[in-house]
């Protein structure tokens, strides 16, 4: 029997019930025919736009919570990679034919992850069951006592589901608070760096569970040099924060006795094999020699540091790149490279949350970083760090943490 050729785009649009696809940044990627018809919005009015720009909260209802609850559910789906079923939800939408007039709607939404080849959430499948007419039928004029009793039971069950969801969110929020407190304790402001100004930033991801294992460190070296490092543990929550703390401390100790950054990473690689959750951690460390005006560096699967010269050119330090920690079955020497710098140059280390986006190649993020660095290169480190976050992070936040170090050489 001949295998049928399936047009999955046509299947999606013909699906019964309201279904939309959104990016992890909550931007509409597509919507099926029922979603278009029942919301009164054309596909052109949806695709490419942020969900709450298309469907803002009803400004006439101060108690409205539909936008907040929908956003939280979608971000949980992105953060956990798991389906999130919402309780019965009231969400008014503006009549497309009568601006300023809001129509009452009751929805029963489900948000499901669509994973990419890398196992990460690439899209959110947002299915909405329209139950407005059902609610009105039970609560409208002429309904008998049995109708009203059923309506009351429906609202009671919906309220119970909402309370369960709120308790789960509170538990997740407590875990996030603990993890953030742990990270704050282990990521203090940098100590004195002599005449060389430094700034550090840690920007948590959005979502209650999406606390990650990013870290930074600055270490004074014997002989007067300075070591600067950033790292990123795979995973989220308390486990990632705990693994981060162990690896940061181990690298800080190894840096003080190692002959160079490659040796420091070799020692960290050996240690990481005994730390639960440390597999595939990425890290880059740089040793700065003020006398010879050189930066020696080694990278374990991490985005390359950026060296900004006085003339605005940006060099990415990518000549000593190796796999992440624990990625090889046997230990091997790690590479390191050295590059000169002139006084007044800027060294920037960061984690992938600053540059990576799920819908584009990493080169696009590196190009944005280079442009921003060139534009703001004369700013002091504190101002430059703020400018980089403002230029590169989406206004809605990201699903990955960001750690950042800016050092004036």
């Amino acid at each position: 029997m001949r295998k049928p050729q399936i047009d999955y785009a046509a299947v999606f649009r013909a699906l019964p019930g309201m279904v939309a696809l959104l990016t992890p940044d909550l931007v509409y990627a597509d919507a099926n025919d029922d979603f278009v018809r029942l919301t009164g919005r054309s596909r052109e009015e949806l695709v490419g736009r942020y969900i709450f720009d298309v469907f803002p909260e009803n400004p006439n209802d101060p108690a409205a919570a539909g936008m907040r609850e929908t956003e939280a559910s979608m971000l949980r789906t992105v953060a956990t990679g798991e389906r999130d079923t919402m309780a019965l939800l009231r969400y008014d939408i503006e009549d497309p034919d009568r601006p300023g007039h809001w129509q009452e709607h009751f929805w029963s939404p489900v948000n499901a992850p669509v994973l990419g080849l890398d196992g990460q959430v690439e899209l959110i499948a947002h299915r909405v069951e329209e139950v407005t007419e059902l609610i009105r039928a039970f609560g409208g004029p002429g309904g008998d006592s049995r109708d009203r009793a059923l309506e009351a039971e429906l609202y009671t069950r919906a309220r119970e589901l909402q309370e369960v969801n709120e308790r789960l969110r509170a538990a997740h929020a407590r875990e996030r608070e603990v993890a953030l407190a742990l990270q704050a304790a282990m990521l203090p402001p940098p100590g004195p760096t002599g005449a060389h100004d430094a700034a550090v930033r840690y920007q948590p991801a959005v979502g209650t569970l999406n606390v990650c294992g990013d870290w930074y460190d600055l270490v004074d070296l014997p002989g007067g040099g300075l070591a600067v490092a950033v790292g990123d543990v795979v995973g989220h929550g308390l486990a990632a924060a705990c693994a981060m703390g162990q690896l940061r401390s181990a690298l800080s100790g190894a840096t003080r006795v190692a002959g160079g950054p490659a040796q420091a990473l070799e020692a960290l690689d050996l240690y990481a094999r005994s730390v639960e959750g440390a597999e595939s951690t990425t890290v880059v460390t740089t040793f700065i020699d003020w006398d010879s005006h050189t930066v020696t560096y080694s990278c374990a699967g991490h985005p390359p540091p950026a060296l900004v010269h006085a003339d605005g050119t940006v060099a990415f330090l990518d000549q000593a790149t190796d796999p992440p920690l624990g990625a090889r079955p046997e230990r091997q020497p790690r590479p390191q490279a050295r590059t000169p710098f002139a006084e007044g140059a800027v060294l920037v280390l960061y984690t992938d949350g600053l540059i990576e986006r799920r819908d584009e190649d990493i080169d696009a993020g590196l190009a944005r970083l280079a442009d921003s660095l060139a534009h703001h290169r004369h700013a002091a480190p504190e101002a430059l760090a703020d400018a980089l976050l403002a230029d590169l992070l989406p206004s809605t936040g990201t699903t990955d943490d960001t750690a950042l170090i800016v050092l004036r050489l």
Side-chain angles (χ1 to χ4, degrees), residues 97-148:
D97 299 322
R98 303 172 64 201
H101 292 268
W102 295 78
Q103 300 171 323
E104 181 184 66
H105 286 271
F106 289 89
W107 316 100
S108 179
V110 176
N111 296 307
V114 180
L115 304 182
L117 296 177
D118 59 356
Q120 300 297 310
V121 178
E122 192 170 87
L123 292 169
I124 305 165
H126 176 57
R127 183 186 66 78
V128 179
E129 185 176 354
E130 168 72 78
V131 294
T132 304
E133 294 304 320
L134 176 65
I135 296 296
R136 288 174 178 167
F138 287 135
D144 60 22
S145 60
R146 187 174 63 177
D147 292 337
R148 288 190 292 274

Tab-separated table of all heavy atoms in Angstrom, residues 97-148:
chain	number	residue	atom	x	y	z
A	97	ASP	N	-14.391	44.367	16.087
A	97	ASP	CA	-15.237	45.294	15.332
A	97	ASP	C	-15.684	46.494	16.163
A	97	ASP	O	-16.230	47.457	15.615
A	97	ASP	CB	-16.475	44.550	14.806
A	97	ASP	CG	-16.091	43.417	13.864
A	97	ASP	OD1	-15.136	43.600	13.074
A	97	ASP	OD2	-16.732	42.356	13.938
A	98	ARG	N	-15.445	46.443	17.487
A	98	ARG	CA	-15.889	47.539	18.370
A	98	ARG	C	-14.768	47.836	19.366
A	98	ARG	O	-14.795	47.356	20.501
A	98	ARG	CB	-17.178	47.156	19.099
A	98	ARG	CG	-18.333	46.784	18.180
A	98	ARG	CD	-19.494	46.236	18.995
A	98	ARG	NE	-20.049	47.237	19.905
A	98	ARG	CZ	-20.765	46.941	20.979
A	98	ARG	NH1	-20.982	45.679	21.316
A	98	ARG	NH2	-21.248	47.902	21.752
A	99	PRO	N	-13.770	48.601	18.974
A	99	PRO	CA	-12.660	48.923	19.878
A	99	PRO	C	-13.163	49.525	21.188
A	99	PRO	O	-14.077	50.357	21.186
A	99	PRO	CB	-11.839	49.940	19.072
A	99	PRO	CG	-12.165	49.645	17.639
A	99	PRO	CD	-13.614	49.218	17.640
A	100	GLY	N	-12.588	49.072	22.285
A	100	GLY	CA	-13.012	49.548	23.594
A	100	GLY	C	-14.079	48.708	24.240
A	100	GLY	O	-14.399	48.903	25.418
A	101	HIS	N	-14.670	47.772	23.474
A	101	HIS	CA	-15.700	46.882	24.013
A	101	HIS	C	-15.076	45.494	24.201
A	101	HIS	O	-14.482	44.936	23.271
A	101	HIS	CB	-16.903	46.796	23.071
A	101	HIS	CG	-17.674	48.079	22.972
A	101	HIS	ND1	-18.754	48.375	23.776
A	101	HIS	CD2	-17.490	49.169	22.170
A	101	HIS	CE1	-19.216	49.565	23.468
A	101	HIS	NE2	-18.469	50.086	22.499
A	102	TRP	N	-15.220	44.952	25.408
A	102	TRP	CA	-14.561	43.694	25.771
A	102	TRP	C	-15.593	42.580	25.900
A	102	TRP	O	-16.638	42.753	26.521
A	102	TRP	CB	-13.778	43.864	27.071
A	102	TRP	CG	-12.641	44.831	26.890
A	102	TRP	CD1	-12.717	46.183	26.850
A	102	TRP	CD2	-11.283	44.497	26.666
A	102	TRP	NE1	-11.490	46.728	26.619
A	102	TRP	CE2	-10.574	45.720	26.508
A	102	TRP	CE3	-10.572	43.308	26.599
A	102	TRP	CZ2	-9.213	45.760	26.272
A	102	TRP	CZ3	-9.207	43.339	26.366
A	102	TRP	CH2	-8.538	44.548	26.205
A	103	GLN	N	-15.284	41.432	25.318
A	103	GLN	CA	-16.180	40.283	25.328
A	103	GLN	C	-15.698	39.274	26.381
A	103	GLN	O	-14.514	38.922	26.415
A	103	GLN	CB	-16.205	39.608	23.956
A	103	GLN	CG	-16.689	40.524	22.842
A	103	GLN	CD	-16.496	39.893	21.467
A	103	GLN	OE1	-15.513	39.207	21.220
A	103	GLN	NE2	-17.435	40.141	20.571
A	104	GLU	N	-16.636	38.815	27.195
A	104	GLU	CA	-16.310	37.849	28.238
A	104	GLU	C	-16.108	36.470	27.616
A	104	GLU	O	-16.926	36.005	26.817
A	104	GLU	CB	-17.450	37.800	29.263
A	104	GLU	CG	-17.206	36.839	30.412
A	104	GLU	CD	-18.404	36.767	31.335
A	104	GLU	OE1	-19.471	36.286	30.883
A	104	GLU	OE2	-18.290	37.197	32.492
A	105	HIS	N	-15.003	35.822	27.969
A	105	HIS	CA	-14.723	34.467	27.493
A	105	HIS	C	-14.265	33.605	28.655
A	105	HIS	O	-13.578	34.078	29.576
A	105	HIS	CB	-13.626	34.471	26.425
A	105	HIS	CG	-14.073	34.988	25.099
A	105	HIS	ND1	-14.610	34.194	24.117
A	105	HIS	CD2	-14.082	36.255	24.601
A	105	HIS	CE1	-14.914	34.932	23.070
A	105	HIS	NE2	-14.608	36.196	23.331
A	106	PHE	N	-14.631	32.330	28.594
A	106	PHE	CA	-14.116	31.339	29.537
A	106	PHE	C	-13.363	30.278	28.739
A	106	PHE	O	-13.890	29.713	27.775
A	106	PHE	CB	-15.256	30.712	30.338
A	106	PHE	CG	-15.866	31.656	31.342
A	106	PHE	CD1	-16.925	32.480	30.974
A	106	PHE	CD2	-15.361	31.733	32.631
A	106	PHE	CE1	-17.484	33.361	31.887
A	106	PHE	CE2	-15.920	32.616	33.553
A	106	PHE	CZ	-16.979	33.429	33.179
A	107	TRP	N	-12.120	30.032	29.148
A	107	TRP	CA	-11.248	29.118	28.416
A	107	TRP	C	-10.797	27.983	29.332
A	107	TRP	O	-10.682	28.153	30.551
A	107	TRP	CB	-9.991	29.814	27.905
A	107	TRP	CG	-10.154	31.164	27.285
A	107	TRP	CD1	-9.913	32.361	27.871
A	107	TRP	CD2	-10.557	31.468	25.944
A	107	TRP	NE1	-10.145	33.386	26.993
A	107	TRP	CE2	-10.538	32.872	25.786
A	107	TRP	CE3	-10.928	30.688	24.848
A	107	TRP	CZ2	-10.871	33.502	24.605
A	107	TRP	CZ3	-11.258	31.316	23.659
A	107	TRP	CH2	-11.234	32.706	23.541
A	108	SER	N	-10.491	26.868	28.729
A	108	SER	CA	-9.836	25.758	29.435
A	108	SER	C	-8.552	25.448	28.665
A	108	SER	O	-8.567	24.660	27.723
A	108	SER	CB	-10.756	24.530	29.481
A	108	SER	OG	-10.117	23.462	30.150
A	109	PRO	N	-7.421	26.083	29.039
A	109	PRO	CA	-6.206	25.988	28.220
A	109	PRO	C	-5.259	24.872	28.679
A	109	PRO	O	-5.199	24.505	29.853
A	109	PRO	CB	-5.532	27.354	28.425
A	109	PRO	CG	-6.458	28.155	29.315
A	109	PRO	CD	-7.315	27.159	30.016
A	110	VAL	N	-4.489	24.362	27.710
A	110	VAL	CA	-3.392	23.425	27.969
A	110	VAL	C	-2.185	23.901	27.161
A	110	VAL	O	-2.318	24.227	25.971
A	110	VAL	CB	-3.756	21.984	27.545
A	110	VAL	CG1	-2.556	21.052	27.743
A	110	VAL	CG2	-4.938	21.468	28.334
A	111	ASN	N	-1.022	23.950	27.795
A	111	ASN	CA	0.207	24.332	27.113
A	111	ASN	C	1.161	23.140	27.094
A	111	ASN	O	1.497	22.604	28.154
A	111	ASN	CB	0.862	25.521	27.824
A	111	ASN	CG	-0.017	26.755	27.758
A	111	ASN	OD1	-0.436	27.172	26.692
A	111	ASN	ND2	-0.329	27.325	28.921
A	112	ALA	N	1.556	22.720	25.902
A	112	ALA	CA	2.399	21.536	25.764
A	112	ALA	C	3.692	21.905	25.040
A	112	ALA	O	3.686	22.716	24.109
A	112	ALA	CB	1.663	20.441	24.987
A	113	PRO	N	4.824	21.306	25.452
A	113	PRO	CA	6.109	21.622	24.806
A	113	PRO	C	6.280	20.880	23.490
A	113	PRO	O	5.882	19.720	23.360
A	113	PRO	CB	7.133	21.144	25.842
A	113	PRO	CG	6.459	19.987	26.512
A	113	PRO	CD	4.993	20.348	26.573
A	114	VAL	N	6.876	21.539	22.532
A	114	VAL	CA	7.321	20.911	21.283
A	114	VAL	C	8.843	20.980	21.296
A	114	VAL	O	9.414	22.075	21.251
A	114	VAL	CB	6.753	21.631	20.044
A	114	VAL	CG1	7.244	20.953	18.768
A	114	VAL	CG2	5.228	21.650	20.085
A	115	LEU	N	9.489	19.830	21.386
A	115	LEU	CA	10.936	19.797	21.558
A	115	LEU	C	11.662	19.793	20.225
A	115	LEU	O	11.216	19.175	19.248
A	115	LEU	CB	11.345	18.558	22.370
A	115	LEU	CG	10.687	18.407	23.746
A	115	LEU	CD1	11.231	17.175	24.453
A	115	LEU	CD2	10.885	19.648	24.598
A	116	GLY	N	12.814	20.468	20.184
A	116	GLY	CA	13.668	20.450	19.007
A	116	GLY	C	14.605	19.262	19.038
A	116	GLY	O	14.573	18.413	19.936
A	117	LEU	N	15.483	19.175	18.052
A	117	LEU	CA	16.419	18.062	17.961
A	117	LEU	C	17.380	18.040	19.141
A	117	LEU	O	17.918	16.983	19.495
A	117	LEU	CB	17.205	18.154	16.641
A	117	LEU	CG	16.372	18.006	15.360
A	117	LEU	CD1	17.259	18.188	14.134
A	117	LEU	CD2	15.677	16.653	15.328
A	118	ASP	N	17.620	19.201	19.774
A	118	ASP	CA	18.527	19.264	20.917
A	118	ASP	C	17.836	18.943	22.237
A	118	ASP	O	18.456	19.013	23.303
A	118	ASP	CB	19.188	20.647	21.009
A	118	ASP	CG	18.171	21.775	21.161
A	118	ASP	OD1	16.944	21.486	21.121
A	118	ASP	OD2	18.590	22.932	21.305
A	119	GLY	N	16.555	18.572	22.174
A	119	GLY	CA	15.828	18.234	23.385
A	119	GLY	C	15.288	19.429	24.135
A	119	GLY	O	14.657	19.264	25.183
A	120	GLN	N	15.504	20.637	23.621
A	120	GLN	CA	15.020	21.847	24.275
A	120	GLN	C	13.660	22.247	23.703
A	120	GLN	O	13.298	21.873	22.591
A	120	GLN	CB	16.023	22.991	24.090
A	120	GLN	CG	17.402	22.696	24.660
A	120	GLN	CD	17.371	22.487	26.157
A	120	GLN	OE1	16.822	23.294	26.891
A	120	GLN	NE2	17.973	21.393	26.621
A	121	VAL	N	12.909	23.014	24.488
A	121	VAL	CA	11.582	23.450	24.036
A	121	VAL	C	11.741	24.450	22.899
A	121	VAL	O	12.350	25.505	23.056
A	121	VAL	CB	10.789	24.089	25.194
A	121	VAL	CG1	9.434	24.590	24.686
A	121	VAL	CG2	10.592	23.087	26.324
A	122	GLU	N	11.215	24.084	21.744
A	122	GLU	CA	11.326	24.928	20.553
A	122	GLU	C	10.057	25.742	20.332
A	122	GLU	O	10.106	26.879	19.865
A	122	GLU	CB	11.604	24.044	19.334
A	122	GLU	CG	12.018	24.789	18.087
A	122	GLU	CD	12.516	23.830	17.018
A	122	GLU	OE1	11.665	23.330	16.238
A	122	GLU	OE2	13.722	23.559	16.969
A	123	LEU	N	8.907	25.134	20.673
A	123	LEU	CA	7.625	25.811	20.519
A	123	LEU	C	6.702	25.407	21.672
A	123	LEU	O	6.919	24.371	22.318
A	123	LEU	CB	6.954	25.434	19.189
A	123	LEU	CG	7.594	25.916	17.890
A	123	LEU	CD1	6.946	25.212	16.702
A	123	LEU	CD2	7.451	27.426	17.755
A	124	ILE	N	5.695	26.223	21.918
A	124	ILE	CA	4.625	25.890	22.859
A	124	ILE	C	3.360	25.656	22.049
A	124	ILE	O	2.938	26.528	21.280
A	124	ILE	CB	4.379	27.034	23.854
A	124	ILE	CG1	5.657	27.418	24.587
A	124	ILE	CG2	3.273	26.658	24.833
A	124	ILE	CD1	5.559	28.761	25.292
A	125	ALA	N	2.771	24.468	22.191
A	125	ALA	CA	1.465	24.189	21.586
A	125	ALA	C	0.395	24.605	22.587
A	125	ALA	O	0.253	23.995	23.655
A	125	ALA	CB	1.352	22.716	21.232
A	126	HIS	N	-0.317	25.660	22.258
A	126	HIS	CA	-1.300	26.278	23.158
A	126	HIS	C	-2.697	25.909	22.661
A	126	HIS	O	-3.169	26.441	21.653
A	126	HIS	CB	-1.081	27.794	23.140
A	126	HIS	CG	-2.069	28.585	23.939
A	126	HIS	ND1	-2.296	28.382	25.278
A	126	HIS	CD2	-2.890	29.615	23.567
A	126	HIS	CE1	-3.208	29.233	25.715
A	126	HIS	NE2	-3.581	29.989	24.695
A	127	ARG	N	-3.327	24.927	23.350
A	127	ARG	CA	-4.673	24.507	22.963
A	127	ARG	C	-5.682	25.110	23.928
A	127	ARG	O	-5.508	25.053	25.147
A	127	ARG	CB	-4.804	22.980	22.992
A	127	ARG	CG	-6.185	22.501	22.526
A	127	ARG	CD	-6.348	21.016	22.684
A	127	ARG	NE	-6.337	20.594	24.074
A	127	ARG	CZ	-7.357	20.710	24.901
A	127	ARG	NH1	-8.490	21.279	24.494
A	127	ARG	NH2	-7.260	20.288	26.154
A	128	VAL	N	-6.732	25.684	23.385
A	128	VAL	CA	-7.751	26.356	24.197
A	128	VAL	C	-9.118	25.773	23.875
A	128	VAL	O	-9.522	25.741	22.708
A	128	VAL	CB	-7.760	27.878	23.930
A	128	VAL	CG1	-8.833	28.548	24.772
A	128	VAL	CG2	-6.403	28.486	24.196
A	129	GLU	N	-9.796	25.303	24.892
A	129	GLU	CA	-11.184	24.851	24.727
A	129	GLU	C	-12.105	25.982	25.144
A	129	GLU	O	-12.048	26.465	26.273
A	129	GLU	CB	-11.449	23.601	25.567
A	129	GLU	CG	-12.834	23.020	25.339
A	129	GLU	CD	-13.051	21.723	26.109
A	129	GLU	OE1	-12.088	21.223	26.717
A	129	GLU	OE2	-14.198	21.241	26.111
A	130	GLU	N	-12.922	26.426	24.231
A	130	GLU	CA	-13.866	27.526	24.478
A	130	GLU	C	-15.101	26.976	25.186
A	130	GLU	O	-15.822	26.136	24.648
A	130	GLU	CB	-14.253	28.159	23.144
A	130	GLU	CG	-15.419	29.113	23.191
A	130	GLU	CD	-15.071	30.416	23.867
A	130	GLU	OE1	-14.429	31.274	23.247
A	130	GLU	OE2	-15.466	30.552	25.035
A	131	VAL	N	-15.323	27.411	26.447
A	131	VAL	CA	-16.469	26.913	27.221
A	131	VAL	C	-17.389	28.053	27.637
A	131	VAL	O	-18.194	27.916	28.554
A	131	VAL	CB	-15.986	26.124	28.467
A	131	VAL	CG1	-15.261	24.863	28.061
A	131	VAL	CG2	-15.095	26.987	29.357
A	132	THR	N	-17.289	29.184	26.950
A	132	THR	CA	-18.086	30.355	27.322
A	132	THR	C	-19.578	30.065	27.257
A	132	THR	O	-20.331	30.396	28.188
A	132	THR	CB	-17.735	31.537	26.406
A	132	THR	OG1	-16.324	31.777	26.470
A	132	THR	CG2	-18.466	32.791	26.835
A	133	GLU	N	-20.016	29.456	26.169
A	133	GLU	CA	-21.449	29.194	26.013
A	133	GLU	C	-21.956	28.219	27.059
A	133	GLU	O	-23.101	28.324	27.523
A	133	GLU	CB	-21.726	28.669	24.598
A	133	GLU	CG	-21.460	29.691	23.500
A	133	GLU	CD	-22.248	30.977	23.720
A	133	GLU	OE1	-23.433	30.890	24.126
A	133	GLU	OE2	-21.682	32.066	23.509
A	134	LEU	N	-21.106	27.260	27.442
A	134	LEU	CA	-21.506	26.314	28.473
A	134	LEU	C	-21.724	27.031	29.798
A	134	LEU	O	-22.735	26.814	30.488
A	134	LEU	CB	-20.422	25.242	28.632
A	134	LEU	CG	-20.631	24.204	29.740
A	134	LEU	CD1	-21.860	23.353	29.446
A	134	LEU	CD2	-19.399	23.326	29.903
A	135	ILE	N	-20.806	27.928	30.145
A	135	ILE	CA	-20.938	28.677	31.388
A	135	ILE	C	-22.191	29.547	31.352
A	135	ILE	O	-22.968	29.615	32.316
A	135	ILE	CB	-19.695	29.546	31.633
A	135	ILE	CG1	-18.457	28.665	31.821
A	135	ILE	CG2	-19.889	30.462	32.830
A	135	ILE	CD1	-18.525	27.786	33.042
A	136	ARG	N	-22.417	30.203	30.212
A	136	ARG	CA	-23.590	31.066	30.101
A	136	ARG	C	-24.887	30.262	30.166
A	136	ARG	O	-25.889	30.713	30.727
A	136	ARG	CB	-23.539	31.848	28.802
A	136	ARG	CG	-22.479	32.958	28.807
A	136	ARG	CD	-22.370	33.615	27.458
A	136	ARG	NE	-21.392	34.703	27.479
A	136	ARG	CZ	-20.910	35.281	26.389
A	136	ARG	NH1	-21.320	34.891	25.186
A	136	ARG	NH2	-20.032	36.259	26.485
A	137	ALA	N	-24.852	29.065	29.588
A	137	ALA	CA	-26.065	28.236	29.597
A	137	ALA	C	-26.454	27.855	31.009
A	137	ALA	O	-27.636	27.851	31.375
A	137	ALA	CB	-25.832	26.983	28.763
A	138	PHE	N	-25.455	27.560	31.839
A	138	PHE	CA	-25.772	27.183	33.211
A	138	PHE	C	-26.094	28.393	34.079
A	138	PHE	O	-26.786	28.275	35.084
A	138	PHE	CB	-24.595	26.427	33.833
A	138	PHE	CG	-24.453	25.033	33.297
A	138	PHE	CD1	-23.209	24.550	32.929
A	138	PHE	CD2	-25.559	24.212	33.156
A	138	PHE	CE1	-23.077	23.261	32.442
A	138	PHE	CE2	-25.421	22.920	32.665
A	138	PHE	CZ	-24.180	22.444	32.308
A	139	GLY	N	-25.602	29.561	33.688
A	139	GLY	CA	-25.814	30.730	34.539
A	139	GLY	C	-26.786	31.721	33.967
A	139	GLY	O	-27.107	32.715	34.603
A	140	GLY	N	-27.313	31.471	32.762
A	140	GLY	CA	-28.157	32.451	32.103
A	140	GLY	C	-29.586	32.435	32.601
A	140	GLY	O	-29.984	31.600	33.409
A	141	PRO	N	-30.413	33.372	32.105
A	141	PRO	CA	-31.814	33.455	32.528
A	141	PRO	C	-32.556	32.160	32.214
A	141	PRO	O	-32.335	31.537	31.181
A	141	PRO	CB	-32.360	34.629	31.705
A	141	PRO	CG	-31.147	35.418	31.303
A	141	PRO	CD	-30.052	34.417	31.157
A	142	GLY	N	-33.430	31.782	33.124
A	142	GLY	CA	-34.276	30.614	32.873
A	142	GLY	C	-33.687	29.319	33.347
A	142	GLY	O	-34.342	28.283	33.298
A	143	GLY	N	-32.435	29.323	33.811
A	143	GLY	CA	-31.841	28.086	34.292
A	143	GLY	C	-32.523	27.643	35.571
A	143	GLY	O	-32.826	28.440	36.444
A	144	ASP	N	-32.840	26.379	35.710
A	144	ASP	CA	-33.495	25.902	36.914
A	144	ASP	C	-32.475	25.648	38.009
A	144	ASP	O	-31.279	25.873	37.846
A	144	ASP	CB	-34.333	24.646	36.610
A	144	ASP	CG	-33.465	23.511	36.072
A	144	ASP	OD1	-32.234	23.524	36.315
A	144	ASP	OD2	-34.019	22.611	35.411
A	145	SER	N	-32.935	25.178	39.165
A	145	SER	CA	-32.058	24.995	40.322
A	145	SER	C	-30.980	23.966	40.035
A	145	SER	O	-29.858	24.071	40.522
A	145	SER	CB	-32.891	24.577	41.537
A	145	SER	OG	-33.579	23.362	41.285
A	146	ARG	N	-31.322	22.929	39.246
A	146	ARG	CA	-30.310	21.929	38.926
A	146	ARG	C	-29.196	22.540	38.090
A	146	ARG	O	-28.028	22.235	38.273
A	146	ARG	CB	-30.968	20.770	38.171
A	146	ARG	CG	-30.005	19.601	37.956
A	146	ARG	CD	-30.710	18.425	37.339
A	146	ARG	NE	-31.213	18.753	36.011
A	146	ARG	CZ	-31.835	17.870	35.209
A	146	ARG	NH1	-32.050	16.643	35.635
A	146	ARG	NH2	-32.271	18.230	34.027
A	147	ASP	N	-29.563	23.445	37.141
A	147	ASP	CA	-28.549	24.145	36.347
A	147	ASP	C	-27.639	24.967	37.237
A	147	ASP	O	-26.420	24.956	37.086
A	147	ASP	CB	-29.223	25.064	35.312
A	147	ASP	CG	-29.947	24.272	34.236
A	147	ASP	OD1	-29.588	23.098	34.033
A	147	ASP	OD2	-30.852	24.854	33.618
A	148	ARG	N	-28.247	25.707	38.173
A	148	ARG	CA	-27.444	26.560	39.049
A	148	ARG	C	-26.544	25.729	39.960
A	148	ARG	O	-25.416	26.102	40.264
A	148	ARG	CB	-28.366	27.473	39.857
A	148	ARG	CG	-29.006	28.575	39.015
A	148	ARG	CD	-29.707	29.600	39.879
A	148	ARG	NE	-30.896	29.055	40.542
A	148	ARG	CZ	-32.103	29.022	39.986
A	148	ARG	NH1	-32.284	29.509	38.763
A	148	ARG	NH2	-33.124	28.509	40.638
